Amino acid sequence: MKVTRILITCPLIIITEEGKLDPKTLANNSTKNLPLVGEFVKKEKVAYFENRDAYVSFYVSKLAQKYLIDRDILEHLIETYGDRAFDVAKYLKNHSQRERIHPDHPITKGEVRYQIQQEMAQSPIDVLLRRTRLSFLSGTAAVDSLINVIDVFAEEFKWSKEDKESQYKRSIEQLAKLNF
C-alpha cells in the first residue's frame, strides 16, 4: 500500500495500490468538525443558532457592548467577517476610522485599513471590486468612495500626491472598463 501525505485538509490519507482512496482512513481524517474561517467557536464547540437573524443579533449585541459603533456597521461586520468582526472592530476604536467611505454604505475607513494590513489588499480597486464588492452594489457609490479609499492607502503606503492621482486615474479606468 502506498502512503501519500496531503497537507491541505487531512493530516494523512492512504491511497491503495490501485490509486483509490482507502475509505477506512477517510473516516478517521474527516474535516466534518473543522470550523470554517469566520465561524464562532468557543472551547472547541461551535455556537448554533435557529436562524441567521438570531446569529447576527447575538453577535451584534456582543460587539455593541465593546464598541459604540452604528448598528448597521456592526451588522455588516458580523455578516461579512463572522468571528473576525471583533478583529476588524479593533480598527474602529479611533473615531476617524469609523468614517464611512460612502454615506449610504456601512463600509468604514477602518475596515479598509484592516483589509490592507490583515488581508493584503493591494489597491483601491481590489477593495472596491473584490473585498467589499461595493462596485457591484453601486457603481456610483464606488466612484464616489474612491477618494476615501485612496486616502487610506496613501496613509498606509506613504503615497505622494502624484501617486494618489495616478491611482485615482487607474481605478477610474478599470471601473469604466467594467461598465461601473
Side-chain angles (χ1 to χ4, degrees):
M1 195 180 280
K2 180 180 174 186
V3 177
T4 302
R5 262 195 193 279
I6 299 177
L7 299 175
I8 297 170
T9 56
C10 298
L12 181 65
I13 294 179
I14 306 296
I15 298 180
T16 65
E17 289 174 7
E18 297 82 34
K20 296 181 181 178
L21 295 176
D22 181 8
K24 293 178 207 161
T25 61
L26 287 178
N28 296 331
N29 292 301
S30 174
T31 58
K32 177 180 161 187
N33 296 317
L34 185 66
L36 299 172
V37 171
E39 182 178 16
F40 284 92
V41 178
K42 276 192 172 179
K43 297 181 184 173
E44 299 187 20
K45 290 186 178 180
V46 178
Y48 292 99
F49 297 90
E50 285 184 33
N51 57 45
R52 180 182 168 281
D53 292 338
Y55 165 87
V56 171
S57 292
F58 178 80
Y59 286 108
V60 163
S61 67
K62 292 282 186 197
L63 267 176
Q65 291 171 9
K66 264 189 128 167
Y67 304 99
L68 296 172
I69 301 171
D70 294 345
R71 183 170 181 86
D72 66 323
I73 293 174
L74 294 176
E75 287 174 359
H76 162 73
L77 294 178
I78 293 295
E79 290 170 351
T80 304
Y81 296 96
D83 70 345
R84 293 178 300 143
F86 290 86
D87 296 332
V88 180
K90 290 175 187 173
Y91 282 76
L92 306 180
K93 283 182 179 178
N94 182 329
H95 287 282
S96 67
Q97 295 306 303
R98 295 180 191 174
E99 183 183 335
R100 296 166 189 255
I101 62 171
H102 190 277
D104 298 337
H105 296 277
I107 303 157
T108 62
K109 287 186 173 184
E111 181 180 351
V112 172
R113 193 170 307 281
Y114 173 85
Q115 292 168 347
I116 294 167
Q117 291 180 5
Q118 301 299 320
E119 295 184 346
M120 298 172 60
Q122 297 298 302
S123 67
I125 207 73
D126 182 17
V127 168
L128 295 172
L129 284 173
R130 295 176 198 92
R131 314 253 175 200
T132 65
R133 302 184 55 79
L134 181 59
S135 7
F136 295 102
L137 297 172
S138 169
T140 305
V143 171
D144 293 346
S145 64
L146 187 54
I147 293 293
N148 286 326
V149 174
I150 287 173
D151 285 344
V152 176
F153 271 86
E155 290 171 12
E156 287 295 313
F157 295 113
K158 311 293 185 235
W159 285 350
S160 66
K161 184 178 178 182
E162 293 78 20
D163 292 332
K164 288 171 65 173
E165 289 169 359
S166 171
Q167 284 291 331
Y168 182 81
K169 182 179 175 185
R170 187 176 317 151
S171 298
I172 291 293
E173 287 171 0
Q174 288 179 310
L175 288 171
K177 282 181 188 175
L178 297 169
N179 294 321
F180 288 118

